Amino acid sequence: MALKIVKGSIDRMFDKNLQDLVRGIRNHKEDEAKYISTCIDEIKQELKQDNIAVKANAVCKLTYLQMLGYDVSWAAFNIVEVMSSSKFTYKRIGYLAASQCFHESTDVIMLTTNQIRKDLSSPNQYDTGVALTGLSCFVTPDLARDLANDIMTLMSHTKPYIRKKAVLIMYKVFLKYPESLRPAFPRLKEKLEDPDPGVQSAAVNVICELARRNPKNYLSLAPLFFKLMTSSTNNWVLIKIIKLFGALTPLEPRLGKKLIEPLTNLIHRIMSADRSVYIPFLVARVRTKGESMSVLKYVKAMFVFVVKYLGLLAMSKILKTHPKSVQSHKDLILQCLDDKDESIRLRALDLLYGMVSKKNLMEIVKKLMLHVDKAEGTTYRDELLTKIIDICSQSNYQYITNFEWYISILVELTRLEGTRHGHLIASQMLDVAIRVKAIRVFAVAQMATLLDNAHLLTGNVQRKGICEVLYAAAWICGEFSEHLDNPTQTLEAMLRPKVATLPGHIQAVYVQNAAKLFATVLKSQEGNTDSTAAQETSQLMIDRLPLFVQSANLEVQERASCILQLVKYIQKLQQKDVEIAEEVIALFAGELNPVAPKAQKKVPVPEGLDLDAWINEPPSESESEDEQPRAIFAKEEPKHSRPRHTEVDEKELAKRREARKQEQANNPFYIKSSPSSQKVYQEAPGVEHIPVVQIDLSVPLKVPGLPMSDQYVKLEEERRQKDRADKKKKEKKKRKEKRSGRGKRHDSGPESEEDITPAHMVDIVTEEMPESSKQGQNVCLCHFRLSRPLADSEKLPVRSHRAAEVLKSPAQDGDAESAASQEPKKKSSKEKREKKKDKDRDRKVRVTCLQHYSPPPSPVNDIQGNLQDGSQVVVSVIFENKCDSFLKSMEFNVLDSLNSKLQRPEGSGPHDGLTVPFQLPPGVSNEARFVFTMQSIITPQKLKGTLTFIVKNEDSSTHEKLDFKLHFTCTSYLISTPCYSDAFAKLLESGDLKCSSVKLEGVVMPFHHLLARICFRHHFSVVERIDSCASMYSRSIQDHHVCLLVKTSGQTVSIDAKCDEPTLLGNVLDEIKQTFSQC
Amino acid sequence: MIKAILIFNNHGKPRLSKFYEHYNEDTEQQIIRETFHLVSKRDENVCNFLEGGMLIGGSDYKLIYRHYATLYFVFCVDSSESELGILDLIQVFVETLDKCFENVCELDLIFHVDKVHNILAEMVMGGMVLETNMNEIITQVDAQNKMEKSEVSLTLFDIYS
């Protein structure tokens, strides 16, 4: 065996370690991949060896290769092997590798559960720490479920190092296993007041993350956080708390007012300190009313500091709630557009979006247009372009007062080179032209010019390029061709041979709209006496269209050949001198109205028709196919023919409709909101309900050629002035009229938002919000109400071999059985604090009582002792109602002994019971605390007690009694306290301690398990461990020192113990002995 | 939450990558490349925040980075983290590395990436900030290294006894 180890370690000396691997890779720059593949082969060999050191080394190298992008999931099992090494060095390597490459679908993760559990309860805090860190990266729902209880226990570990990690990882556990949130929450809340700042910060961190998902649940914690905010000096904690308040204030407006003062104090404190820029930014997140002005002051100050970016970010937060206050900083923000940092420019753009008003829109857009010209880099320019369009089109063009200006802006934007947003501009042009009727004349003129100059745009034929604009231009010119000045010229422009180079879908629109134009041209020319002009136009069409007929694009080809035939026919008729124009125009008659996507919903469903209900059996597929064509017509059947038939028709109709619905759902070619289907509904009776506002307020203004948008700014100004003058005149009139009657009317003052009347009105088509708003990924985590008391079913699963804690054996009638209290389930947070000052150390001891008596289903009382220092002991008892009846009027009484007394309120006798301040509905548990006074703690105690209560059923209520025993063991007075080895040595040397020893036979567990058990059950901490020998230390609540020296050889364990109180020591040793005799 | 922590040099060679959400190896490399591309083309004297990494996160996430000599330290975080807080954290991270390696340089990170991981593990856990106090971090790291050393000597002792 020894030889093998030696051999293994000699082998190891020749192995490559991580450094060698890195060096090797650096030396093989040319054939890196080849070198690495040989390395991976070596690693595979190493992994096959028995020696754990070799394996760990191999896994370490794999972790590095994983970073370089090599898949190492094949070694997952070996990683688990290394993780389970008993040596910290290897364990750490294993956990690191696991955290880098394990994820939810790694199957070997299942194998790790027990190993991780073992590490979590390891006496070595770093084993636990490493396991927690690793687990935080690869926790799966299964792991979370199985380990939640263990982690929860660690939240009260004696070492703050473990506590803070355990608290932090709980968030990951909540995410994967949301059911654990409710049972763990009280503990988490407790940690907010942990004496260790690290643990506190971790708890704040977790609660902040939770509150992001559902702030409402955490509103009740506000006072606690308020306290923390005023007392904490840790910047991290402050940041998190303020962020949390940011989420809470919208829910509780009063909070905002309360926060102003402490926040201002904070700002002053921090402004004067070095970290001058931390908090102002954060403050902005707390969106409260009175506060915004002062906040803004600080935000502005930040511009003076370095952090422009954050200032802008903060402003955008304020903007959401207080747009007015930010608007005054417009110039500052516009300046930021000149910044050379793209991040800053983009942020500033974002802000502009929210800052525009009717008054400043033109000015801002003008500035932006300047930037568009200057901007280098297409990404930024595209961003600018989309922002301009976003700004202008927001909330149904609310801020645009002059649409001619907007059209000209759009036209100017088409001159941008290399933009990817042609389709965006196009859709805007279409939208405006359709919805703003008054602008059509102008728009058509502009579009005609665009078409004329199409050669300028066609340079960029790439998809989504600027040529998309021509799509819009052609459509607008065709659809509203009656407004064209010179339709013939436009027609000519649309039929140029160059058009054939455009993308197919644009050509298709060209062809179709050429036909529309043709109709218009015919109409105008037929009116003249000269019929040759009309014939020439037809000839032009016939000459040019064949070009499109040859197009490779099917759509273009089809439309072109169809129209070509039509024109040929028209030409024939023309030669016979038939007036044809009216009929051609009829082809394209009817106006397109804007329809909101959700408009169909507004059409009322006929009464008594439930579209979702099955009326007949679901039709088979073949049936639906047969009926489908008929169903389309069936819809338009008059409903009110004959009453008897109607019923049948209605049924039949619904059935068919259902069939059609199914067919459509299965048919990939059916587009649900196609415009044609909407048109059908326009004819339907409910069309009045579609909210279409149509007010025409035209300002006819003809600007030939391509106008500059700047002109509009001037014109707009003039128009407004005129408006104002008009108004004033009117007002004066009014005033004159009223002067006699009333006193003064206040002057209209500076121009307000409402005074600016738009030059054109938009057809506002209201769009409804989709009903189901998107929800976050972890919906379930938000659904827990933390205020509700815990139900039994929600308790975290406790691993089975711990079940000893809860006695399952039913006891005899009326008599309670008390479990040994040596099973401390939770050690609460314990800190090395000033010894004398602090008397509030508490520790929990679990005393389990179980009661079974026949008539009603029995309530099981779960009692947890909570001991405090000195002579006072607080016992917290969890009452859990496990029966189906309601329990009330509970009274708790304990028979006092000489040594220990239950503290009763003043004025009550020594045998009076204490009323439990709550009632218990079925399945509910609640906790009550009772204070005991203890004289001496050196001997274990058993206190007899009774609980009386009334069981209330539906019809009757009975008085019941439950006896129990509270068992205080000596162990339960001990507090695991860390002790340094030098202090420990001094203590032993001091000679005040009495010695005692005990021998345990037949202990088969490994040594570290044994230590863990002593630590865990008897509240010791390991001071030093050397091989099979360890020294341990603990202290009682009355400051007795207890030292142990544990040695093991074979199955014998000898414990030498020293303590300044021999009785206590004897009892503790007895209890330890008992623990090991049980197993 | 922190979604990823990346360290790479001026040429985009990864020196440390820690993802707190699972991606496959190819995506990880792509993310590193994209991040490098975004970060490296920025001037030295512009702000340390960057939005718009396509692969990682989306609109809620931003990159917060610092450039030290030959190395970029990049944190990808969501809106629950404070930008300046993270900047500070990077500083703490670098100072801690400096203390642990005694005048840290790129070579230290190249050859001891495992140690860097161990240090990082004491600062950030599962995407959440664990500890920001440098002394505390160093104490814990040292204690663990000491333990490792004692184990190594113990192993040697085992072999020769």
Side-chain angles (χ1 to χ4, degrees):
Chain A
M1 184 64 194
L3 193 72
K4 206 173 170 190
I5 295 173
V6 172
K7 194 169 166 285
S9 65
I10 290 174
D11 279 349
R12 215 176 77 205
M13 287 174 191
F14 297 106
D15 282 342
K16 268 197 213 107
N17 63 12
L18 174 62
Q19 281 75 29
D20 299 326
L21 174 76
V22 176
R23 207 166 289 132
I25 293 174
R26 284 161 72 82
N27 289 338
H28 291 76
K29 285 230 166 75
E30 304 82 45
D31 51 349
E32 197 182 288
K34 199 177 143 207
Y35 178 76
I36 289 178
S37 75
T38 60
C39 284
I40 289 181
D41 289 341
E42 278 170 30
I43 289 169
K44 281 184 179 158
Q45 285 306 314
E46 286 166 27
L47 287 176
K48 279 185 193 145
Q49 292 191 36
D50 283 337
N51 191 328
I52 191 74
V54 179
K55 268 189 192 158
N57 184 40
V59 166
C60 186
K61 286 190 277 185
L62 282 179
T63 313
Y64 182 78
L65 293 179
Q66 196 271 343
M67 183 183 80
L68 297 186
Y70 290 86
D71 175 34
V72 298
S73 54
W74 49 268
F77 186 74
N78 302 99
I79 293 174
V80 175
E81 279 181 313
V82 176
M83 272 162 75
S84 50
S85 157
S86 61
K87 289 225 162 47
F88 172 74
T89 318
Y90 305 142
K91 196 184 283 295
R92 181 155 78 163
I93 292 172
Y95 272 106
L96 174 61
S99 74
Q100 290 293 85
C101 61
F102 281 12
H103 51 95
E104 278 193 17
S105 48
T106 307
D107 41 7
V108 292
I109 276 195
M110 294 184 312
L111 304 175
T112 60
T113 317
N114 277 316
Q115 177 58 39
I116 296 172
R117 179 173 287 152
K118 209 172 103 190
D119 289 334
L120 289 184
S121 55
S122 158
N124 182 341
Q125 62 165 331
Y126 293 113
D127 281 352
T128 316
V130 145
L132 284 173
T133 309
L135 187 62
S136 73
C137 290
F138 58 77
V139 61
T140 62
D142 284 344
L143 279 179
R145 193 192 55 232
D146 295 340
L147 296 172
N149 200 50
D150 300 66
I151 297 171
M152 221 165 96
T153 315
L154 289 178
M155 281 166 77
S156 325
H157 198 269
T158 47
K159 301 249 168 44
Y161 177 73
I162 299 300
R163 282 210 303 276
K164 77 181 171 194
K165 286 196 167 190
V167 168
L168 215 51
I169 203 178
M170 274 323 270
Y171 178 66
K172 291 271 171 167
V173 173
F174 295 152
L175 283 184
K176 301 286 176 187
Y177 177 56
E179 287 86 348
S180 61
L181 178 59
R182 296 209 335 107
F185 191 70
R187 185 73 61 91
L188 188 63
K189 206 166 127 187
E190 209 176 284
K191 294 296 135 199
L192 281 176
E193 294 177 295
D194 196 279
D196 184 84
V199 183
Q200 216 178 49
S201 138
V204 171
N205 219 332
V206 170
I207 290 186
C208 282
E209 287 290 340
L210 288 172
R212 254 160 61 86
R213 294 171 189 276
N214 183 11
K216 221 160 65 198
N217 262 342
Y218 307 92
L219 213 52
S220 62
L221 294 178
L224 197 60
F225 278 112
F226 200 76
K227 208 176 86 195
L228 271 178
M229 185 172 73
T230 42
S231 61
S232 178
T233 52
N234 182 339
N235 276 332
W236 266 97
V237 174
L238 283 178
I239 288 172
K240 288 285 171 189
I241 292 177
I242 294 173
K243 288 219 176 205
L244 180 75
F245 276 129
L248 292 184
T249 34
L251 298 171
E252 176 58 69
R254 280 174 299 172
L255 206 59
K257 282 203 190 92
K258 265 198 136 178
L259 283 172
I260 297 174
E261 200 204 316
L263 280 178
T264 327
N265 290 343
L266 256 174
I267 295 167
H268 283 298
R269 200 177 84 207
I270 284 162
M271 285 285 238
S272 53
D274 289 339
R275 304 269 169 85
S276 49
V277 278
Y278 254 5
I279 304 297
F281 150 66
L282 297 159
V283 177
R285 307 208 147 202
V286 184
R287 302 148 198 163
T288 56
K289 232 184 182 124
E291 206 197 354
S292 70
M293 285 322 285
S294 58
V295 168
L296 214 63
K297 206 167 75 200
Y298 295 111
V299 172
K300 230 183 137 185
M302 284 169 66
F303 278 87
V304 184
F305 289 129
V306 224
V307 200
K308 260 191 203 164
Y309 175 83
L310 295 178
L312 289 170
L313 203 63
M315 279 201 173
S316 71
K317 295 264 154 56
I318 301 177
L319 186 74
K320 280 182 200 143
T321 44
H322 306 94
K324 286 247 166 75
S325 49
V326 179
Q327 274 169 15
S328 53
H329 300 290
K330 193 183 68 193
D331 293 338
L332 204 60
I333 290 161
L334 282 175
Q335 265 173 35
C336 289
L337 284 179
D338 293 321
D339 201 283
K340 65 175 167 179
D341 187 347
E342 204 172 294
S343 291
I344 290 179
R345 289 195 305 242
L346 290 176
R347 271 275 145 232
L349 268 183
D350 256 6
L351 265 179
L352 281 179
Y353 177 80
M355 280 177 33
V356 291
S357 63
K358 285 180 184 171
K359 227 193 304 181
N360 61 17
L361 177 74
M362 284 188 172
E363 189 193 337
I364 288 178
V365 172
K366 189 179 150 195
K367 285 247 169 68
L368 289 179
M369 290 299 283
L370 282 179
H371 279 286
V372 172
D373 290 339
K374 276 193 290 184
E376 71 265 3
T378 43
T379 5
Y380 179 58
R381 204 161 45 186
D382 278 355
E383 187 64 29
L384 269 171
L385 190 149
T386 43
K387 266 286 145 13
I388 291 177
I389 288 178
D390 274 358
I391 286 173
C392 293
S393 63
Q394 64 177 311
S395 32
N396 274 319
Y397 309 99
Q398 186 189 347
Y399 298 117
I400 296 185
T401 50
N402 187 336
F403 278 95
E404 290 180 10
W405 165 80
Y406 186 45
I407 292 275
S408 47
I409 286 282
L410 288 176
V411 172
E412 271 176 52
L413 285 176
T414 61
R415 287 187 226 142
L416 277 185
E417 268 169 46
T419 179
R420 286 180 297 115
H421 292 297
H423 65 286
L424 199 64
I425 303 176
S427 69
Q428 283 292 304
M429 287 173 169
L430 287 173
D431 202 31
V432 171
I434 294 170
R435 286 166 65 177
V436 188
K437 285 190 178 156
I439 198 68
R440 282 179 194 164
V441 182
F442 179 75
V444 166
Q446 290 294 310
M447 295 304 128
T449 336
L450 263 186
L451 284 179
D452 241 3
N453 302 324
H455 56 278
L456 294 174
L457 303 172
T458 44
N460 180 359
V461 197
Q462 93 193 63
R463 201 147 171 71
K464 285 183 184 172
I466 200 68
C467 60
E468 290 286 322
V469 171
L470 293 175
Y471 176 98
W475 190 86
I476 292 172
C477 285
E479 187 64 24
F480 308 118
S481 50
E482 68 270 20
H483 301 302
L484 270 177
D485 262 353
N486 190 350
T488 330
Q489 191 193 340
T490 313
L491 184 63
E492 225 272 350
M494 278 168 79
L495 294 172
R496 278 182 203 144
K498 196 91 194 278
V499 173
T501 59
L502 288 172
H505 63 286
I506 298 180
Q507 284 186 54
V509 170
Y510 263 68
V511 172
Q512 189 74 15
N513 286 288
K516 290 183 198 165
L517 265 178
F518 174 64
T520 325
V521 173
L522 270 190
K523 176 114 193 291
S524 63
Q525 287 172 339
E526 265 182 11
N528 297 346
T529 43
D530 188 8
S531 65
T532 49
Q535 285 188 18
E536 267 168 30
T537 321
S538 307
Q539 193 53 48
L540 177 77
M541 291 288 277
I542 291 168
D543 287 346
R544 298 283 174 85
L545 276 176
L547 177 71
F548 297 104
V549 176
Q550 292 157 12
S551 168
N553 189 305
L554 275 182
E555 181 76 22
V556 180
Q557 206 184 76
E558 197 177 345
R559 288 188 191 193
S561 55
C562 182
I563 289 167
L564 183 63
Q565 288 313 311
L566 186 72
V567 176
K568 277 182 181 162
Y569 179 69
I570 291 170
Q571 199 186 28
K572 246 184 234 162
L573 288 177
Q574 276 178 334
Q575 281 159 356
K576 290 179 194 160
D577 272 344
V578 184
E579 297 248 319
I580 192 91
E582 284 302 324
E583 275 134 87
V584 179
I585 277 201
L587 278 176
F588 306 106
E591 196 181 354
L592 282 177
N593 276 326
V595 178
K598 294 273 156 68
Q600 197 167 340
K601 266 193 190 165
K602 297 275 179 184
V603 181
V605 180
E607 224 174 286
L609 178 67
D610 182 4
L611 292 172
D612 295 324
W614 285 108
I615 293 165
N616 288 338
E617 288 302 299
S620 72
E621 221 146 84
S622 59
E623 204 181 350
S624 71
E625 246 168 58
D626 286 345
E627 296 199 7
Q628 201 247 348
R630 269 199 293 154
I632 291 172
F633 297 103
K635 225 171 39 169
E636 271 141 41
E637 270 173 11
K639 278 192 294 176
H640 37 268
S641 44
R642 255 174 298 167
R644 235 184 104 233
H645 276 226
T646 319
E647 232 179 272
V648 182
D649 279 355
E650 204 84 297
K651 272 187 184 173
E652 179 79 6
L653 211 131
K655 182 179 147 196
R656 285 173 188 166
R657 208 169 278 170
E658 204 53 61
R660 192 166 133 255
K661 239 193 205 168
Q662 268 225 328
E663 169 74 15
Q664 285 171 351
N666 297 334
N667 188 351
F669 299 108
Y670 179 75
I671 303 161
K672 272 163 196 133
S673 60
S674 73
S676 62
S677 71
Q678 284 167 355
K679 262 197 205 160
V680 171
Y681 277 92
Q682 274 191 21
E683 259 78 55
V687 77
E688 291 85 5
H689 296 278
I690 303 172
V692 178
V693 183
Q694 296 179 353
I695 307 165
D696 286 1
L697 228 172
S698 56
V699 177
L701 218 154
K702 272 200 179 166
V703 184
L706 284 176
M708 286 303 291
S709 56
D710 295 358
Q711 290 173 297
Y712 284 96
V713 182
K714 239 190 244 164
L715 284 169
E716 180 70 15
E717 214 33 62
E718 282 166 18
R719 191 178 69 85
R720 278 185 205 172
Q721 243 155 23
K722 219 178 98 196
D723 273 6
R724 240 176 292 168
D726 283 355
K727 242 185 207 163
K728 274 206 179 136
K729 259 185 221 161
K730 270 186 205 162
E731 209 130 289
K732 260 186 195 166
K733 253 189 208 166
K734 274 187 200 163
R735 229 181 281 170
K736 268 182 199 162
E737 286 164 10
K738 289 190 177 176
R739 196 166 280 170
S740 49
R742 257 193 255 166
K744 276 185 198 168
R745 265 190 60 163
H746 61 87
D747 198 84
S748 61
E751 186 180 32
S752 71
E753 265 301 86
E754 287 69 32
D755 291 342
I756 306 170
T757 49
H760 313 271
M761 278 311 219
V762 197
D763 283 359
I764 295 162
V765 182
T766 337
E767 285 183 37
E768 279 164 16
M769 280 300 289
E771 273 151 38
S772 60
S773 59
K774 226 176 94 188
Q775 294 193 319
Q777 46 173 350
N778 285 78
V779 185
C780 39
L781 201 53
C782 312
H783 285 339
F784 287 98
R785 273 182 47 222
L786 291 169
S787 45
R788 201 155 45 87
L790 272 185
D792 192 39
S793 58
E794 283 180 311
K795 286 250 163 104
L796 288 178
V798 181
R799 60 186 155 131
S800 51
H801 68 261
R802 278 236 202 145
E805 287 171 34
V806 182
L807 287 188
K808 286 274 149 82
S809 59
Q812 256 82 58
D813 45 297
D815 209 313
E817 176 79 28
S818 82
S821 63
Q822 73 262 39
E823 186 81 274
K825 197 185 153 210
K826 288 131 195 172
K827 290 183 211 158
S828 83
S829 51
K830 205 57 269 49
E831 252 331 272
K832 297 179 266 174
R833 285 192 261 159
E834 302 296 280
K835 272 185 193 165
K836 295 278 149 21
K837 245 198 221 165
D838 185 73
K839 303 249 171 190
D840 288 335
R841 286 174 282 174
D842 58 350
R843 229 225 7 262
K844 282 183 183 165
V845 172
R846 188 179 176 110
V847 185
T848 312
C849 277
L850 187 138
Q851 160 75 1
H852 251 261
Y853 55 95
S854 22
S858 70
V860 176
N861 291 354
D862 199 17
I863 304 180
Q864 281 197 331
N866 187 349
L867 306 184
Q868 277 203 342
D869 187 60
S871 55
Q872 273 205 345
V873 173
V874 176
V875 177
S876 59
V877 184
I878 295 174
F879 297 94
E880 186 174 356
N881 184 358
K882 286 195 170 172
C883 67
D884 302 328
S885 323
F886 196 86
L887 301 186
K888 58 182 220 177
S889 308
M890 288 187 280
E891 239 176 46
F892 178 89
N893 199 1
V894 173
L895 211 58
D896 292 349
S897 70
L898 275 178
N899 190 23
S900 47
K901 289 186 172 62
L902 174 64
Q903 277 200 350
R904 299 179 167 87
E906 272 179 58
S908 54
H911 302 296
D912 292 349
L914 291 181
T915 315
V916 181
F918 47 78
Q919 304 180 330
L920 285 182
V924 169
S925 65
N926 207 336
E927 186 184 342
R929 296 185 171 211
F930 303 99
V931 183
F932 287 81
T933 322
M934 295 283 180
Q935 295 287 321
S936 151
I937 59 152
I938 57 173
T939 47
Q941 308 241 2
K942 272 186 193 167
L943 294 185
K944 275 191 181 172
T946 40
L947 181 75
T948 54
F949 51 91
I950 292 173
V951 182
K952 205 178 168 211
N953 285 324
E954 271 169 34
D955 41 354
S956 67
S957 59
T958 47
H959 213 85
E960 296 284 353
K961 202 176 99 177
L962 182 65
D963 289 339
F964 60 87
K965 278 179 191 164
L966 285 176
H967 191 174
F968 299 101
T969 55
C970 280
T971 289
S972 56
Y973 301 120
L974 295 183
I975 295 165
S976 143
T977 318
C979 182
Y980 292 107
S981 49
D982 40 350
F984 188 74
K986 257 183 210 161
L987 195 67
L988 290 179
E989 282 165 14
S990 67
D992 318 334
L993 306 181
K994 312 284 180 295
C995 202
S996 179
S997 65
V998 68
K999 258 203 164 71
L1000 308 171
E1001 297 288 347
V1003 179
V1004 282
M1005 63 176 72
F1007 189 54
H1008 65 271
H1009 275 196
L1010 179 119
L1011 293 182
R1013 188 167 283 221
I1014 297 177
C1015 287
F1016 208 61
R1017 298 205 170 173
H1018 300 283
H1019 317 137
F1020 280 88
S1021 58
V1022 179
V1023 179
E1024 221 170 2
R1025 182 190 158 186
I1026 303 148
D1027 295 338
S1028 58
C1029 178
S1031 49
M1032 304 175 95
Y1033 175 77
S1034 184
R1035 206 172 47 157
S1036 79
I1037 54 172
Q1038 289 181 351
D1039 280 340
H1040 302 288
H1041 301 285
V1042 188
C1043 309
L1044 299 183
L1045 186 68
V1046 187
K1047 282 183 224 160
T1048 177
S1049 56
Q1051 296 199 346
T1052 318
V1053 178
S1054 64
I1055 302 178
D1056 295 314
K1058 280 187 170 184
C1059 177
D1060 41 9
E1061 179 50 69
T1063 328
L1064 176 69
L1065 183 62
N1067 287 322
V1068 170
L1069 286 182
D1070 283 348
E1071 279 161 22
I1072 294 179
K1073 208 168 170 181
Q1074 207 181 354
T1075 313
F1076 287 99
S1077 65
Q1078 277 170 359
C1079 55
Chain B
M1 289 268 279
I2 299 171
K3 200 165 192 184
I5 296 172
L6 307 173
I7 305 179
F8 42 73
N9 72 358
N10 287 348
H11 306 289
K13 282 243 183 246
R15 293 305 176 213
L16 175 123
S17 68
K18 181 88 204 166
F19 290 87
Y20 293 104
E21 203 162 279
H22 178 71
Y23 296 98
N24 66 32
E25 275 76 12
D26 291 338
T27 327
E28 284 185 6
Q29 293 303 308
Q30 232 173 315
I31 291 172
I32 296 173
R33 272 197 300 277
E34 191 202 54
T35 315
F36 169 70
H37 188 69
L38 282 172
V39 166
S40 62
K41 68 175 184 204
R42 289 170 63 84
D43 276 352
E44 276 302 300
N45 51 356
V46 298
C47 75
N48 303 57
F49 318 110
L50 190 64
E51 287 162 63
M54 293 297 163
L55 283 167
I56 192 161
S59 62
D60 192 35
Y61 284 84
K62 57 183 71 161
L63 300 172
I64 297 172
Y65 72 96
R66 273 191 167 202
H67 190 195
Y68 292 92
T70 57
L71 291 174
Y72 284 98
F73 289 72
V74 186
F75 281 48
C76 175
V77 304
D78 72 4
S79 61
S80 76
E81 301 294 342
S82 144
E83 287 82 356
L84 286 167
I86 295 292
L87 266 189
D88 204 53
L89 188 71
I90 299 179
Q91 182 66 27
V92 171
F93 185 29
V94 174
E95 277 177 34
T96 313
L97 289 177
D98 200 48
K99 283 253 168 74
C100 292
F101 287 110
E102 283 159 20
N103 276 329
V104 69
C105 68
E106 195 185 338
L107 280 177
D108 292 317
L109 270 73
I110 294 171
F111 286 108
H112 302 284
V113 67
D114 49 341
K115 285 184 185 151
V116 183
H117 267 298
N118 293 336
I119 294 168
L120 188 62
E122 294 302 321
M123 299 180 63
V124 180
M125 190 174 125
M128 301 211 280
V129 179
L130 178 69
E131 183 60 67
T132 50
N133 180 342
M134 189 163 64
N135 294 331
E136 172 70 16
I137 297 167
I138 291 175
T139 317
Q140 303 298 354
V141 170
D142 283 350
Q144 292 178 48
N145 289 342
K146 221 167 101 187
M147 214 162 97
E148 202 176 278
K149 254 181 213 154
S150 72
E151 275 184 356
V152 170
S153 54
L154 216 72
T155 332
L156 286 177
F157 185 71
D158 277 353
I159 293 165
Y160 296 115
S161 63

